[in-house]
Amino acid sequence: MLKKSMKKLVIANLKMNLLSPAERDLYLKGIDRVTAGKKFENTEIILCPPFVHLEGFKKWKNRKVARGAQNVFWEDKGSFTGEISPKMLKNFGCDYVIVGHSERRKNIRENDQDVNLKIMAALKNGIKPILCISEDDNQKETESNAMMEQLQNCLNGISDGKIENIIICYEPAWAISSNNPDHLPTTNDVMSARLVIKKFLVANYGAKIAEKVRIIYGGSVALGNVTNICINSGMDGALIGKESLTPGNFMKIVEMIENNC
Ligand code: PGA
């Protein structure tokens, strides 16, 4: 059995879905059904709903899954209209938060400096950031440089003692929510990206600490590709959007990862 801290991670990014309390409850019932009677020794399951559902998720009794959020602001409290603080997330049951998702970088113009502040604020409040590192179509050619730059900027000032609480998600923007099989990375693509991230970690934190940082993959993960993209590439788990909305398929992916540790 793996040590708890080194469990694989399967994270549902529910994005802007579950449009009503009724839809949310139906989804949670589905997750109850597919997790019933199951033990997860090697895998931690994390669900990241929209903010409005965090209270409902907190009250939900299922303790086999952890809770996370899809974004956070960097201040704890005060005059920041429309923002949600890390203290609020903690008080509403979140142990994780996604930061730097490519959809936010693109739609909200979130930049590496914002992401860096969010990481610091989350860590200060005992929340583990899931840092998404992405590159768009134009960057595909120079992928590793773009990734290095994002890692450097987003992790600026993060000490040796803190880095192991951060999960790094390689998330090529061109592969997100894609129905086009040509827009999926190969096992080798993902292995190369993993190597770039590892090299950064080893260079900045040393090999021993780098070993403790989990690196996962996100972008159109589905039942049919999880083996190639996430398992054969040696990734420590997956960030799943669309496929996580179907509890049955989501659980099959969890079980594939659980049984391949
Ligand atoms: P997708 O989303 O699985 O729908 O591509 C993944 C993500 O945004 O992380």
Side-chain angles (χ1 to χ4, degrees), residues 2-258:
L2 293 172
K3 278 197 283 162
K4 189 171 187 307
S5 61
M6 289 308 290
K7 279 185 171 191
K8 303 269 171 176
L9 300 169
V10 184
I11 306 168
N13 178 5
L14 297 167
K15 304 196 179 181
M16 203 170 70
N17 294 296
L18 309 179
L19 300 192
S20 65
E23 256 192 64
R24 173 196 63 208
D25 293 346
L26 195 67
Y27 180 76
L28 293 182
K29 268 196 193 133
I31 297 289
D32 279 336
R33 198 181 59 246
V34 297
T35 53
K38 298 198 174 121
K39 266 196 175 164
F40 305 98
E41 307 271 3
N42 307 317
T43 315
E44 181 165 10
I45 305 166
I46 302 156
L47 301 184
C48 301
F51 289 139
V52 289
H53 293 314
L54 285 177
E55 186 165 14
F57 273 60
K58 183 169 192 263
K59 287 183 180 152
W60 177 47
K61 299 268 187 302
N62 193 325
R63 295 290 129 199
K64 291 182 184 171
V65 296
R67 280 70 164 164
Q70 297 173 23
N71 182 31
V72 68
F73 192 57
W74 51 79
E75 296 286 349
D76 283 344
K77 183 180 173 182
S79 301
F80 302 100
T81 303
E83 299 294 348
I84 299 288
S85 86
K87 282 218 183 310
M88 289 168 170
L89 294 187
K90 199 67 192 170
N91 291 337
F92 280 79
C94 291
D95 292 318
Y96 294 89
V97 64
I98 299 169
V99 290
H101 193 282
S102 60
E103 285 159 5
R104 294 193 59 82
R105 290 177 190 265
K106 184 170 156 214
N107 299 328
I108 320 287
R109 300 264 172 265
E110 196 164 283
N111 63 35
D112 288 348
Q113 284 66 38
D114 299 333
V115 177
N116 180 249
L117 290 172
K118 289 175 183 209
I119 290 177
M120 301 278 198
L123 289 171
K124 197 179 85 192
N125 285 282
I127 298 175
K128 293 186 173 142
I130 300 156
L131 166 62
C132 297
I133 297 295
S134 38
E135 70 284 326
D136 60 27
D137 286 333
N138 307 329
Q139 288 173 314
K140 204 171 167 187
E141 298 294 315
T142 53
E143 185 168 289
S144 68
N145 290 341
M147 281 169 58
M148 275 292 182
E149 196 180 312
Q150 285 183 32
L151 287 165
Q152 244 141 24
N153 294 337
C154 296
L155 296 174
N156 184 26
I158 301 294
S159 64
D160 287 11
K162 298 256 169 73
I163 188 74
E164 65 189 82
N165 290 320
I166 298 175
I167 293 114
I168 299 177
C169 179
Y170 166 58
E171 195 201 41
W174 44 270
I176 290 182
S177 299
S178 165
N179 293 320
N180 182 346
D182 292 340
H183 283 198
L184 272 183
T186 62
T187 307
N188 279 345
D189 291 338
V190 181
M191 284 169 94
S192 311
R194 184 180 168 82
L195 202 63
V196 171
I197 297 168
K198 270 273 182 216
K199 273 190 185 151
F200 171 87
L201 292 170
V202 171
N204 287 277
Y205 299 95
K208 223 168 161 185
I209 292 176
E211 271 303 295
K212 297 185 188 165
V213 181
R214 280 168 295 183
I215 304 169
I216 65 173
Y217 171 83
S220 295
V221 174
L223 261 182
N225 62 35
V226 66
T227 306
N228 272 347
I229 298 183
C230 301
I231 297 174
N232 294 346
S233 61
M235 283 298 201
D236 302 307
L239 177 62
I240 307 172
K242 201 158 89 212
E243 197 84 318
S244 70
L245 291 167
T246 311
N249 286 0
F250 180 63
M251 191 44 52
K252 282 186 193 143
I253 293 177
V254 171
E255 288 179 319
M256 285 168 90
I257 292 181
E258 166 79 13

